[in-house]
Amino acid sequence: MINTPYALKDSRPNRAWLALAACMSYAGIEPVSATDMPPAAAEAIAPAAIEAAPVPAANFIPADNPIGSLLLSRQHPLLARADFSRVSDFVVQIYQANNFQPIWLNANRSEKNLNDLFGMLDNAAGNALSPASYDVERLKQFVGSPVADNATAAGYDVALTVSLVRFLHDLRQGRVDPRDVQYPVHIAPKPALDIAGLLKQHLETQTLSELAAVFEPKAKQYQQLKRVWNRMQLLAGQSALHEFKPGKQLRPGDKHPHIVYLRQNLLAMGLIADNVNPESKVYDADLVEAVKKVQQQQGLKADGVIGVATAALFNRPPQEKLAQLELAMERSRWIPDPSDGPMILVNIPAFELWAFNSPDDANPLNMKVIVGKSPDKQTPVLWEEMKYLEFMPYWNIPKNIFEKEILPKAANNQGYLASQDIELVRHQNSEEKGGGSYLRARQRPGKKNPLGRVKFVFPNTADVYLHDTPSRAAFNRPRRDLSHGCVRVAEPKRLAEFVLGDQQGWDKDTIEQAMSAPKTRHVTLKRSVPVLFYYATTFIDHADQLHVYPDIYGQDELLQKALNKLQAPTAGTNQLAASGKAAAATSSQ
């Protein structure tokens, strides 16, 4: 649950809290002082500063220089997307290192470097990026045309650099900044690489073709998706891949000519091994097990029987599947580069958690989870470090939950708060926060506490966390977006064992004791554990199996709209067309 405490300044009482105080008075409950509270939670940690090279002040860019003039304007009339302000700082750094002189079209012009540049942009499709987004064909025309003067050479040179920087930035960070998309996200951008220094190095050694690998995301999920993307690209030309239309219900052991097409689909999804008998028309045991997995992912009855709904899952055109993979690859560019240690991953639309001891862990801990309810209580996308656990935690009741769910019951039942182990706490603000005090409602540890017996805390601005729950039945539901925003875990003891696995003094017995103790216990981790809350409707697991999940929050549509906006022509398009005609005319003279 998103836990924003309900605060009340002494000088500003409100009616909700007066009602609560009255209810507690009637119930015979005394407010609890702050000194009775368990140890305070750690303050939320601000994101680390993003590493980037210093950007020169505008007055250091020579306005009388044709390159400087373009850099100051942050607009390039030769590019389909004229506005390059998003990457202008990096472009300025590149030209500042070269005294604002051309780096491509100069006296030492290297045809190999130019060919490597065009090859890199032409191969953008291998990373689910479009070469057209980087004006590659237009740039080839310009480079192949006679250069009339220094201003023309400068314009072509900057166009080449902007297109390269755009590609490298999109490859590493993503085309869409997730903070600009209208859904909860709490992930800082990856640290910027020294693009000016790297480009200079690769130009001098004529190894530009190796530069893309430096910027390509290192997250395992990205690399897995990339392999499937390129395999699906090859299969997209096979029309038979989307012709699985049996026309009747198929049961295990049945024969049908279209079983061949079913095999092709499952092979493309990585759910079966390479075909040993690709022409077999039998719906055999291997196919049945693979179909059951797909049915389970989509919330259908996992019985292996292929009816209309199941057949439709394999009837999607290849381009639709590629579009979903493209969205998944864009999201995976937001994931920070992996570290060598443990990590916890929650895939929100999958309603599942994986805990890895290392990026290559072949047997991760896996369990069901319950996530935030759609549409207004969504679990946010985030990347944070788990710092501590609380066994037998108090629940600090958020303001919105208190007002909507608890106060109405308390108003109609004088004994309700006492019966639910709810108490008032007076908390003193620090001088840095303006002093004063406020009242907060909290629920004592116990069987009625919705946080259960343990919560796992990774301080974050959304104030969400992983926690146990006394309500176990909901884990049996196929769709589990039911919480207020936090993530409930099905096996809290096993997760605690994972987190405290290498911490001295903790084992299965001590964890069990802490989860049944009468008092709250705060345990600081000796080594923090990265936690990723991720939203992937197309996901590849540790066994290289492709999974497709329902878009429970509608985030695929939002991301697709954001990507479509980037592809829309800008004001530079008309000028680009005119420039193309001018270049052609110059070439013919």
Side-chain angles (χ1 to χ4, degrees), residues 89-100:
D89 291 347
F90 301 110
V91 178
V92 169
Q93 291 164 26
I94 290 168
Y95 282 105
Q96 183 189 33
N98 203 47
N99 296 316
F100 298 98

Side-chain angles (χ1 to χ4, degrees), residues 26 33 60-61 99-100 163 209 228 296 315 350 412 415 437 450 472 503 525 551 554:
Y26 289 143
S33 69
F60 291 164
I61 302 175
N99 296 316
F100 298 98
S163 292
S209 60
V228 174
Q296 184 178 32
N315 238 353
N412 295 323
S437 64
R472 315 301 303 173
Q503 191 146 325
L525 299 181
D551 183 15

Side-chain angles (χ1 to χ4, degrees), residues 338-512:
S339 58
D340 293 333
M343 187 192 81
I344 294 172
L345 164 68
V346 172
N347 188 6
I348 297 167
F351 311 116
E352 290 198 44
L353 174 149
W354 290 266
F356 299 88
N357 285 297
S358 70
D360 296 320
D361 188 351
N363 296 293
L365 174 65
N366 176 229
M367 66 185 68
K368 296 177 180 180
V369 298
I370 293 169
V371 301
K373 188 173 179 61
S374 178
D376 58 341
K377 297 172 183 174
Q378 298 182 17
T379 294
V381 174
L382 62 77
W383 171 273
E384 295 292 351
E385 299 279 330
M386 185 183 295
K387 300 293 185 181
Y388 64 93
L389 283 69
E390 276 189 6
F391 291 105
M392 302 304 291
Y394 281 79
W395 177 37
N396 295 317
I397 303 174
K399 173 182 176 180
N400 61 331
I401 296 176
F402 171 77
E403 288 185 340
K404 294 179 180 179
E405 301 178 20
I406 296 176
L407 186 57
K409 296 176 182 177
N412 295 323
N413 182 351
Q414 296 181 6
Y416 179 77
L417 297 177
S419 70
Q420 299 301 309
D421 294 331
I422 295 174
E423 59 192 16
L424 269 185
V425 175
R426 183 175 298 281
H427 186 80
Q428 188 71 33
N429 267 332
S430 64
E431 290 301 322
E432 290 80 6
K433 294 184 178 180
S437 64
Y438 62 87
L439 294 174
R440 180 171 63 193
R442 72 176 187 180
Q443 191 170 37
R444 291 187 289 271
K447 294 181 179 179
K448 297 177 182 178
N449 189 308
L451 304 188
R453 298 166 296 166
V454 60
K455 74 173 181 177
F456 306 82
V457 183
F458 32 96
N460 59 87
T461 54
D463 204 12
V464 294
Y465 39 84
L466 296 161
H467 67 87
D468 181 22
T469 175
S471 304
R472 315 301 303 173
F475 287 109
N476 295 322
R477 299 186 186 183
R479 175 163 175 163
R480 297 188 293 276
D481 56 320
L482 305 166
S483 81
H484 289 90
C486 283
V487 176
R488 308 171 194 167
V489 298
E491 302 176 72
K493 183 181 177 183
R494 293 184 68 199
L495 186 58
E497 291 169 2
F498 172 86
V499 172
L500 296 171
D502 59 354
Q503 191 146 325
Q504 189 174 3
W506 289 96
D507 57 25
K508 291 183 178 181
D509 292 337
T510 52
I511 289 171
E512 181 62 42

Side-chain angles (χ1 to χ4, degrees), residues 15 72 79 116 165 183 215 271 291 300 347 396 485 522 542 565:
R15 295 194 303 186
L72 285 169
L79 300 175
D116 285 349
V165 173
Y183 56 76
F215 283 79
L271 290 173
V291 168
L300 300 176
N347 188 6
N396 295 317
H522 180 105
H542 61 282
K565 284 181 65 176

